[in-house]
Amino acid sequence: MSATLVRPARRRSLALDQLLIVLALLVCWQGAYAYAGSSAITSPFATVAYAISMLEQGWFWSNVGATALAFVSSLAIASLLGVLAGLGLGLWRFAGDVTEPVLAALYTIPKVTLYPLILLLFGLGLSAKVAFGVIHGVIPVTLFTLAAVKGLPPVLLRSARAMRLSPRQTLLHVLAPAVLPEIFTGLRVGFSLTLLGVLIGEMFASQKGMGFLILNGINLHNVKLTTAVVLIVVVTAILANAGLLAADKRLRRQR
Amino acid sequence: MADALAGAAALPGAAAPAAHASLRGVTRVYPGAAPVHALGPIDLDLARGEFFSVVGPSGCGKSTLIDVQAGLAAPSAGEVMFEGKPVAGKVPDGIGVVFQEDASFPWLTVTDNIAFGLRRAGVDPAEVRRRVEYAIGFMGLRDFARAYPVQLSGGMRQRVCIARTLVLQPRLILLDEPFGALDQQTRLLMGDELLRLWRETRATVLLITHALDEAAMLSDRVGAMSARPGRFVDLLKTGWPRERDSSLVAEAGFGAITARLWSHLRAESLKAMGGAPP
């Protein structure tokens, strides 16, 4: 239900559990290092040290900038298209009923198989990365938005009519707040998947970005670089997702 | 302070002899490949300030009756009037509707839920506060003013919905099985509150219910409806005084009323279930 109802003792033990999970992951990492050796992975300590040293390098930040630009553009496009499509399909019930299974089926396609096609369409560079990110993110956002509109209890709209609301007031004061939490969940899922799409895009046809650094590290057998970049991406993604999850819970607190 | 809720008192021309609300030859047919004749033809006149209940078997078109009178649905034939004007395509000013389902907005606190309609109507904030304050007190929601609906029981949420309608000062209140989802004790107590509200607001009330005791205890008049397509098979006056409450259930007349209602509904309910009366 809500964070306010979680007793402090439970919250403490929750934090402890999460700390234990992080520790377990570190132990696994160290174990993998001990097993595979420095030709495959670097130790946690060495990785963190190298990652910190990278933060002072100009080339690192220009790669971060490239990924950030591609990611923010993808996310903006995927969110806008997804929300608009979801609202449209949700309000136009017939189209929604026809499209929903098709979208769900489309989504199961391994999207990486489409990447050569994307490259032919958009060429190497930013636009291909963005397109690939959008392809990953747009369908979940659409499906969540569609579900939000379809799941809206009809009595809320009937109440709006009974209280003599104008269509604009109904949209703004009933429809929007009613579907917002669900749409936000869709955006949160879209966030992760768009990031995935952009990184994959950078790995295979790009001269810049975090995905490029990872693959470059592998190609040049620069294990230190690969591991450190992966660590930074993972930590960033986890922190961002935790933030979004907290906001999501806040929005749902009243449900 | 009672005037905070009383819409009827402020109405000009309150002495008009015509019915406050009326249905004349109203039918409702749901179109489609196999059209469903849900309601009517129905004739009904509600006197100003009257408490009228409708009982009937499930699926007899009781809710359709509310929709049509409220202007939420258009009749297929016939004429719907409210305060001398035809009701067409839109809920007229002065009609308030309470639905069977929980219609509280989960993203708003109790206070904001109740103030919702007033704010959308652009009522002066001081006036909004005054009416909401009063309604919160009247409906016994003082302790929950800042709570969200999810923190409330079903009965409390329904009170929020009633309060939300009440602050708009409707002169005709339509209630579509508002206590249908509540347990028996809560239902009786909510019935008492509804009576109190009716006396205080001087509004006309049209209540749809499937509970015979509720109809018998609350109403000035009760209409018993037939199985679909719903028509009135009996209109009966209870003859209760205006000052009344749920202790009426102990009156001798109460049993006679419920018995008479049941004699109609038993046959109609059997029809609705597909059987024939033995």
Side-chain angles (χ1 to χ4, degrees), chain B residues 247-264:
Chain B
S247 63
L248 275 179
V249 296
E251 299 270 329
F254 181 82
I257 293 169
T258 46
R260 177 163 155 194
L261 289 175
W262 179 233
S263 70
H264 293 295

Side-chain angles (χ1 to χ4, degrees), chain B residues 140-208:
Chain B
L141 292 164
R142 187 88 60 207
D143 294 343
F144 306 99
R146 288 162 167 280
Y148 285 94
V150 72
Q151 296 165 291
L152 306 181
S153 66
M156 280 294 171
R157 286 190 214 182
Q158 199 54 284
R159 279 171 203 233
V160 174
C161 293
I162 293 174
R164 191 172 72 183
T165 304
L166 202 58
V167 291
L168 297 170
Q169 302 184 336
R171 302 180 290 278
L172 171 61
I173 306 177
L174 307 173
L175 302 111
D176 186 4
E177 300 197 32
F179 313 137
L182 308 181
D183 62 82
Q184 175 74 10
Q185 288 92 319
T186 313
R187 248 170 7 92
L188 283 175
L189 293 176
M190 293 286 282
D192 280 341
E193 281 181 24
L194 189 54
L195 281 174
R196 205 156 57 85
L197 181 157
W198 165 68
R199 277 196 298 271
E200 195 138 332
T201 62
R202 280 160 281 181
T204 310
V205 170
L206 175 60
L207 171 75
I208 304 288

Side-chain angles (χ1 to χ4, degrees), chain A residues 112 115 119 124 132 199-206 211-212 215:
Chain A
V112 74
Y115 200 44
L119 286 177
L124 294 171
F132 204 52
L199 287 174
I200 295 176
E202 286 180 342
M203 282 186 170
F204 296 118
S206 180
F212 163 73
L215 210 74

Side-chain angles (χ1 to χ4, degrees), chain B residues 101-140:
Chain B
E101 306 96 316
D102 171 23
S104 58
F105 297 132
W107 59 91
L108 295 177
T109 62
V110 166
T111 304
D112 290 337
N113 255 293
I114 297 173
F116 184 87
L118 292 173
R119 288 188 180 144
R120 300 294 87 79
V123 174
D124 174 60
E127 174 69 6
V128 172
R129 212 169 314 125
R130 192 177 73 90
R131 288 201 215 168
V132 170
E133 262 300 289
Y134 185 80
I136 283 177
F138 187 85
M139 296 305 293

Side-chain angles (χ1 to χ4, degrees), chain A residues 29 33 37-38 40-47 223-225 227-228:
Chain A
W29 184 356
Y33 171 65
S38 56
I41 190 170
T42 50
S43 75
F45 181 75
T47 308
V223 177
K224 223 166 33 170
L225 175 67
T227 319

Side-chain angles (χ1 to χ4, degrees), chain A residues 177-220:
Chain A
V179 297
L180 194 68
E182 199 75 7
I183 291 180
F184 191 82
T185 305
L187 293 181
R188 185 169 62 77
V189 174
F191 179 95
S192 316
L193 291 165
T194 306
L195 182 61
L196 175 74
V198 168
L199 287 174
I200 295 176
E202 286 180 342
M203 282 186 170
F204 296 118
S206 180
Q207 297 304 313
K208 243 180 185 317
M210 303 301 273
F212 163 73
L213 282 185
I214 292 172
L215 210 74
N216 197 38
I218 291 173
N219 289 336
L220 302 175

